[in-house]
Amino acid sequence: MSRLSVVHFSNLFATPATLWFSVSIALVALVALIVTPAPLVALLVLAPLLEETVFRGGIQHALLTRCGSAPGARFAINLFTASVFAAAHLFEHPGVWGALTFLPALLIGAVYQGRRRLVPCVALHALFNAIWLFVASPLLSA
């Protein structure tokens, strides 16, 4: 049985400090996202910070730490994390538009695997949100 299949949810975070940090940042961003009156701040700052903390800093980091050295594990971990990311976006954007978040999530996941830093992931996520907000969304509504 591969190591990837025996990872338990309770073991997803590499250390208690990683868990504490990820949950703290995610909660702060979630509260700010809920109470912010500015949709631009929510889409371009808070959502990328919250989502990248949870998906890259939490799920992907934990899986890479636990089983990233197994053959093919890094690719499988990126696929899994991008799939969960896209599935989460299906609630907000049902259908094709929600599913299309899978492709940028793969790229962001590859960036995270290469650097293991959240800042480039948050910046790239904000860029993708800006492209959606200012380019794709107006084209679709025209």
Side-chain angles (χ1 to χ4, degrees):
M1 186 184 308
S2 78
R3 290 186 67 194
L4 191 57
S5 64
V6 295
V7 173
H8 298 288
F9 183 75
S10 61
N11 294 331
L12 276 180
F13 293 94
T15 65
T18 305
L19 173 61
W20 178 87
F21 176 76
S22 295
V23 170
S24 298
I25 295 296
L27 287 176
V28 167
L30 180 61
V31 168
L33 188 62
I34 291 169
V35 299
T36 186
L40 284 179
V41 172
L43 282 171
L44 301 179
V45 178
L46 299 175
L49 180 62
L50 170 67
E51 293 174 2
E52 294 310 318
T53 298
V54 171
F55 291 101
R56 257 42 85 185
I59 296 170
Q60 190 168 1
H61 176 79
L63 291 172
L64 285 168
T65 301
R66 297 289 180 201
C67 45
S69 62
R74 290 170 55 97
F75 180 71
I77 290 166
N78 193 15
L79 279 177
F80 174 78
T81 307
S83 298
V84 173
F85 182 88
H89 282 78
L90 286 173
F91 291 106
E92 180 69 27
H93 307 287
V96 173
W97 296 113
L100 284 176
T101 60
F102 176 76
L103 298 174
L106 276 177
L107 178 61
I108 295 170
V111 168
Y112 183 76
Q113 284 182 343
R115 296 177 175 239
R116 297 274 181 113
R117 300 190 43 87
L118 284 178
V119 172
C121 299
V122 171
L124 193 54
H125 190 142
L127 175 65
F128 285 130
N129 282 2
I131 290 169
W132 167 254
L133 185 64
F134 298 116
V135 178
S137 187
L139 289 176
L140 294 172
S141 62

